[in-house]
Amino acid sequence: MTTSNAATTASGIGILLTAGPAAKTDDAALGIPAILLPLQERSLLQRALEHLVRSGCRHIHVALGDAAAPVKDFLHTGERWGCRVSYHYLDPRESLGRFVRRLGLAPQQRYWLADAAQVPLEPLRVLADPAAAAGQPLCWNDGRQQRWTGWGLYTGTFLMTCEMAPADESLAALMTKAGEMSPHTIERPLSVATLADLLDGSRRLLAAQANPVMISRNCQIHPEARLFAPVFVGAHVKVGAGAVVGPNVAIGSGAFIDQGAHLRHTVVMPDTYVGKELDMHGIIVRGRLLANIALNVVTEVPDPNLLAELAPDGQVPAQGLLGGALRLALAPLYWASRWQMRGMSRYEPSAAIPLPRGLQSEPGQVQVGMALPEARPGNLPPRLGEHFCRTFYPGLREVMRGHLQLVGPTPRGLHAVRRLPPEWRDLYAEYRCGLLNEGLLQQAAANQEDQFASDALACASQDDPRATLKLLRRYLGLVLRDLCHAGPAGRTHSAASASVGANVENTSITHRPI
Amino acid sequence: MQLDIEKIQDGQGAIVTIRSENLDAGNVKAFKDRMIPVLEDHQSVLLDMSGLTFVDSSGLGALLSCLRTVNNKKGQLKLFAMAKPVQALFELVRMHRIFSIYNTRDEALAAL
């Protein structure tokens, strides 16, 4: 093996198999093709392409399998990596030789053959050897025998004579042991043949990284969270108080590890919410999909309080359309409620909370705003009416833009929070809630006889559009009742608001108008 | 929700088989209503989980409620034959450290 620039001796053309020998098990078990699952921000497909480009390939023929669309979406023209990419469909039963003949390659030149499902850990350092007439396969030693990595530098003549399909196990033997081969032994490649291989690949990448603890940009890690090397934390990740992360943990960008979660030997894929106090050991998690390697099971966890997929940046959910329609339909009710509440001062209730001695502005206690409703009869704006007028209706605009969800609890990532206008950011930043938010749901939970309460709880525990619509209908009904029964300041609050906010009637709190 | 109850240990214990694939918000109340008399009448209860393929957080809460009832009367509640997805969920929320979980009915019986 020689360290050199291979471009001067090889053809500068590569063949990349995306449905090759190792891409047949557990593929898409986590919702996307395994070669596109990011391992420390870069998928195996990307790593394979980068290796080929570094080895001098400027034109890469990509053989597409079942997962053609996502592969093409990811690679595009290849310009990002400084190469040209051509796409060809490869029938699973088609032989490699026939496929190569279709490409019209010159028989006398050498071409890189690569399998995206298993990729060498280190950049390729192979110089074309004129003595190896057929080719130079890259192999690794599993302790008993030499195994083919799916990679090698082969002559066009040899490739055109391979009459086996890429998924055929006998192809590996041919590519490794055929006469006039000069195999190179490398370290075991990264692989996505099984999910256990994926987890092991993450561990090996962590062991190979320059710093034991890698933290990317714009992360928020709570001072009480603990990280144990080796660990990789992607961009825009948030780690909550008391969380324990590591060793051997890789967290993808935009993920949110909530308070008290304990992660060891685990891969968290990008934009994934990991709930409070969860325990993960030997796990790969992507959105709601959880792969437990020891149990050899992939399961979906539908409870958004445990696992969830955070909405990617810029994605407008289907609720956006509903939000827009509601904004139009509810405009008359909004203006009616504005008229109804004219002259009312807006109250920002507060409660007395003692602060640490050094932070006290005056002896005793300071007033800190809390999300408690004002509770003095005769001086109370209709609770749901005010919620509708000042929170729900203006918030529909953010629902349309995909920044907020209509009904909580729905996790959102920091990137989504950052796009909110400041006043909404203060209200909703980092909380798992929607417009009909946790405050309303919790109060409903305290009064389970109420129909609104049962709908709210059903909506919180199910991901069912019918439950959402039912809750919305009930909510708007109560708002209407509030607005009909409550007049301007000075009237008593309605029966509906009393039922929903019953658990705070006796709370002793102070208030100050804005 | 249907529960099959089989008496063991001269009526002191019972093996309860859950005849449902899900234990979630939809049937958790029925499960608790049927389990309470069983827990009150028996000192040791073995819960056959082999039929369950999905448990949500309210189902986990119901199982915890059963365990609390049993612990209050110094009894035993053991789970066995849990499907892998359910076991993965138990491990995720650390409930495998709270419950006594066995692979088979024989192992659970031997542990009484």
Side-chain angles (χ1 to χ4, degrees), chain A residues 260 277 279 292 295 302-303, chain B residues 54 57 84 91-92 94 97:
Chain A
E277 304 289 343
D279 187 20
N292 187 317
L295 293 175
D303 191 335
Chain B
F54 171 70
S57 50
K84 281 183 178 180
E91 292 185 6
L92 185 68
R94 309 186 199 201
R97 299 179 189 176

Side-chain angles (χ1 to χ4, degrees), chain A residues 153 196 306 323 407 413 432 474 498:
Chain A
L153 188 59
L306 301 178
V407 177
R432 293 167 292 127
R474 194 86 69 193

Side-chain angles (χ1 to χ4, degrees), chain A residues 119-420:
Chain A
V119 178
L121 197 59
E122 298 290 331
L124 309 173
R125 298 179 187 280
V126 179
L127 186 67
D129 180 3
Q136 296 155 262
L138 294 188
C139 300
W140 63 281
N141 199 324
D142 68 354
R144 289 174 296 178
Q145 59 175 343
Q146 287 236 318
R147 300 181 63 150
W148 187 44
T149 58
W151 288 63
L153 188 59
Y154 297 98
T155 62
T157 312
F158 176 76
L159 289 175
M160 288 174 197
T161 56
C162 294
E163 292 305 325
M164 295 154 205
D168 194 333
E169 288 179 3
S170 56
L171 179 70
L174 174 71
M175 301 304 261
T176 312
K177 293 175 182 170
E180 300 179 339
M181 291 284 192
S182 172
H184 292 272
T185 304
I186 61 168
E187 208 178 323
R188 182 159 58 94
L190 299 172
S191 170
V192 290
T194 64
L195 290 173
D197 288 338
L198 193 69
L199 191 63
D200 183 61
S202 170
R203 182 189 59 76
R204 292 171 59 212
L205 283 171
L206 286 166
Q209 69 187 12
N211 296 314
V213 177
M214 294 278 282
I215 299 176
S216 308
R217 65 199 159 88
N218 289 338
C219 290
Q220 284 190 12
I221 298 175
H222 195 278
E224 290 179 10
R226 287 182 293 162
L227 304 184
F228 292 95
V231 66
F232 174 86
V233 181
H236 309 300
V237 166
K238 187 191 173 196
V239 181
V244 180
V245 178
N248 291 319
V249 171
I251 303 175
S253 58
F256 181 1
I257 312 301
D258 213 336
Q259 299 170 21
H262 193 172
L263 277 59
R264 294 151 290 152
H265 307 283
T266 288
V267 176
V268 179
M269 292 293 169
D271 296 314
T272 296
Y273 169 75
V274 175
K276 291 176 183 173
E277 304 289 343
L278 295 190
D279 187 20
M280 292 188 168
H281 184 205
I283 299 286
I284 301 172
V285 59
R286 179 174 180 268
R288 294 177 174 193
L289 291 170
L290 172 91
N292 187 317
I293 304 304
L295 293 175
N296 193 24
V297 65
V298 179
T299 184
E300 185 176 354
V301 179
D303 191 335
N305 292 305
L306 301 178
L307 295 176
E309 185 168 7
L310 302 168
D313 216 5
Q315 186 182 19
V316 179
Q319 280 199 16
L321 294 174
L322 180 59
L326 279 173
R327 193 172 158 80
L328 279 176
L330 296 177
L333 184 61
Y334 171 69
W335 290 109
S337 63
R338 285 282 300 261
W339 182 82
Q340 185 87 352
M341 290 202 289
R342 72 192 186 283
M344 275 187 188
S345 60
R346 182 175 180 174
Y347 291 99
E348 185 183 21
S350 59
I353 297 179
L355 287 184
R357 189 180 297 276
L359 296 178
Q360 286 179 5
S361 57
E362 57 188 47
Q365 294 172 327
V366 294
Q367 300 291 313
V368 179
M370 285 184 69
L372 289 175
E374 165 59 31
R376 286 201 306 185
N379 206 12
L380 176 71
R383 217 187 86 77
L384 284 181
E386 184 176 9
H387 180 267
F388 173 79
C389 189
R390 292 185 170 140
T391 300
F392 184 82
Y393 188 81
L396 289 175
R397 187 186 177 92
E398 301 306 322
V399 174
M400 283 167 59
R401 293 173 174 175
H403 295 167
L404 282 179
Q405 297 286 318
L406 204 53
V407 177
T410 305
R412 285 175 300 109
L414 284 178
H415 48 293
V417 170
R418 269 197 304 276
R419 292 163 67 98
L420 289 170

